[in-house]
Amino acid sequence: MKRFIYIITDRNRNNLHVGLCSDLLKTLNFYSEMPTLFFDSAQQLNRLVYFEEINTEEMAMERFKTVSTYTRPQKEKMIRPVNPDWVDLTIGLNYESSVRTRPQLRPAISARRSSVTF
């Protein structure tokens, strides 16, 4: 089962929270529904700035333990090459999931096969 390691922050980038989950969109929904669970209202964790997809649970747990011990400069060094402007990556994930789950209006016809797939 795939696991995700993510770094989420507040709008002022004061806090960098490292997490591990199996469903990234569900976890981000949880953060948006419970904004003051971990911090006060001024420091709501609502901006996904980094994530990794890892295929095995053991490797994910090892990576999570490693990243959790990083200092703030080390975490920033991880984030900046892939997200230099610290934009919220949730928007792209929501778009990507909606494209994947959109209903098919017509069957797809494969060029190689003469059968119709749904």
Side-chain angles (χ1 to χ4, degrees), residues 51-117:
F51 69 93
E52 295 178 16
E53 184 176 347
I54 300 175
N55 291 327
T56 65
E57 193 169 341
E58 295 81 24
M59 288 175 57
M61 196 55 150
E62 287 299 317
R63 180 70 174 150
F64 172 71
K65 288 177 184 176
T66 304
V67 174
S68 294
T69 62
Y70 283 179
T71 61
R72 183 179 177 93
Q74 289 173 312
K75 290 175 190 173
E76 287 182 6
K77 201 179 235 186
M78 275 177 51
I79 296 167
R80 291 202 189 279
V82 294
N83 192 357
D85 296 327
W86 291 60
V87 295
D88 187 10
L89 302 176
T90 308
I91 299 163
L93 286 174
N94 287 334
Y95 175 76
E96 189 174 302
S97 70
S98 69
V99 168
R100 270 195 232 148
T101 59
R102 72 179 174 92
Q104 296 254 347
L105 301 175
R106 59 185 176 159
I109 300 174
S110 176
R112 294 183 204 163
R113 300 181 196 163
S114 60
S115 65
V116 177
T117 59

Side-chain angles (χ1 to χ4, degrees), residues 12-31:
N12 296 325
R13 299 184 217 160
N14 291 332
N15 300 304
L16 293 176
H17 175 72
V18 178
L20 171 69
C21 67
S22 59
D23 188 352
L24 191 55
L25 289 174
K26 187 184 245 184
T27 303
L28 295 171
N29 257 353
F30 175 76
Y31 278 106

